[in-house]
Amino acid sequence: MAKFFPMFSGSGGNSSYIGDSDGGVVVDIGVSYKRFKTALTSADIPLEAIKAVLITHEHTDHVKGLKVFLKNNPVPVIASRETVYALEFAGIMTYETPRIYLEGEDYELDGIRLTRFATSHDCVGSSGYVIELSGGTKVAVCTDLGVMTDCIKEKLCGCDLVMLESNHDPVMLRLGPYPAELKLRIASDKGHLPNAVCAETIAHLYEKGTCRFVLAHISKENNTPEKAASAARAALMDKGAKEGRDYILYIAEPEGSKIIPL
């Protein structure tokens, strides 16, 4: 049975598996290879099931374990050309590493269709992905973006499940412990999505047919899961949607999230 497993989420590391025990893809490996393997084992997912690793961008909390993973599992890395170049420059990938540049067109790998879309973050080539499994189920992973665009919304529409960043509460961010420069970065168009924008997007996607949502990359310092979920529920309530009847809302924990059947 196909599953979506948000293994890790947040500034401490990010990684998700989409597929079944026979084959699937991983989006990001932002924790140590040891922790990554342990998480897979807990979900009965063998390393051999991973057909490719999709990378959203080169920040450490998304690629920390990638170098060691690739030494032991020579599968293709899929990303924008700019992200691949950044990973090579950092010594995480070598020129011999198999890679697939995902730019304007979709790519099919072992019956899994992959679509990339550009996101606005403080690095070049930042990406989100839509993964369509062989049975037709579509899952989107969209985190680390400072602004939601109509183009991104269009890519997310029609997905069965969407993981979307609900990073911060603006008041908590403003009053929190971060230095002023970092606060400005997070709140900028190349930073992270606040709860309200995430909630507004979820309500829009619900009207377009999506009924399962995963709130991700929730800041420990500038947000709470309760605040993120409350904003999403309020926006969905405005659309007349009732939780458990019309939609399901999940929280991606920093580690050890529940496996979501697809």
Side-chain angles (χ1 to χ4, degrees):
M1 180 175 66
K3 65 189 79 173
F4 176 69
F5 183 26
M7 293 177 278
F8 303 93
S9 178
S11 58
N14 298 271
S15 186
S16 298
Y17 179 85
I18 303 100
D20 55 30
S21 296
D22 296 321
V25 296
V26 166
V27 179
D28 293 332
I29 304 179
V31 297
S32 70
Y33 182 49
K34 181 179 180 179
R35 289 178 66 197
F36 176 75
K37 287 196 300 178
T38 299
L40 287 177
T41 300
S42 73
D44 296 322
I45 301 169
L47 282 166
E48 295 76 18
I50 300 172
K51 305 303 180 184
V53 180
L54 284 65
I55 298 297
T56 59
H57 62 294
E58 77 272 16
H59 289 171
T60 302
D61 58 327
H62 293 261
V63 300
K64 181 178 181 179
L66 180 61
K67 182 175 182 178
V68 179
F69 171 85
L70 292 173
K71 285 182 178 179
N72 292 275
N73 307 274
V75 302
V77 170
I78 299 177
S80 68
R81 191 177 296 272
E82 292 91 343
T83 295
V84 169
Y85 290 168
L87 293 173
E88 288 179 338
F89 183 79
I92 295 171
M93 287 177 59
T94 69
Y95 293 112
E96 289 77 29
T97 304
R99 82 280 311 276
I100 297 165
Y101 301 122
L102 201 56
E103 298 288 350
E105 297 184 358
D106 295 352
Y107 184 83
E108 188 164 327
L109 179 72
D110 289 349
I112 301 172
R113 181 169 292 276
L114 306 170
T115 303
R116 173 193 172 263
F117 52 89
T119 56
S120 177
H121 200 45
D122 57 345
C123 58
V124 295
S126 182
S127 306
Y129 295 100
V130 174
I131 299 97
E132 182 175 356
L133 301 176
S134 58
T137 300
K138 295 173 70 175
V139 174
V141 175
C142 184
T143 66
D144 294 76
L145 68 165
V147 63
M148 177 58 63
T149 66
D150 289 340
C151 181
I152 294 175
K153 287 181 181 178
E154 183 179 346
K155 293 292 186 182
L156 300 179
C157 281
C159 289
D160 298 281
L161 182 147
V162 173
M163 173 188 266
L164 186 60
E165 175 174 72
S166 193
N167 177 258
H168 64 276
D169 173 81
V171 175
M172 287 186 67
L173 176 64
R174 186 172 69 250
L175 300 178
Y178 283 0
E181 183 178 351
L182 181 54
K183 290 179 181 181
L184 289 173
R185 170 192 169 262
I186 291 170
S188 76
D189 284 353
K190 292 187 177 297
H192 292 277
L193 279 190
N195 292 338
V197 176
C198 174
E200 178 187 346
T201 304
I202 283 175
H204 171 78
L205 296 176
Y206 170 76
E207 289 188 304
K208 298 297 183 179
T210 302
C211 60
R212 291 198 284 173
F213 305 96
V214 181
L215 303 182
H217 220 303
I218 298 172
S219 171
K220 291 190 299 182
E221 293 80 12
N222 305 305
N223 204 3
T224 67
E226 293 77 18
K227 284 182 177 292
S230 178
R233 290 181 178 122
L236 288 162
M237 185 181 297
D238 285 345
K239 302 298 181 181
K242 182 177 180 180
E243 189 170 8
R245 182 192 69 185
D246 303 313
Y247 72 91
I248 302 175
L249 189 66
Y250 304 93
I251 301 292
E253 303 288 345
E255 183 172 357
S257 296
K258 292 181 180 179
I259 298 168
I260 301 171
L262 295 176

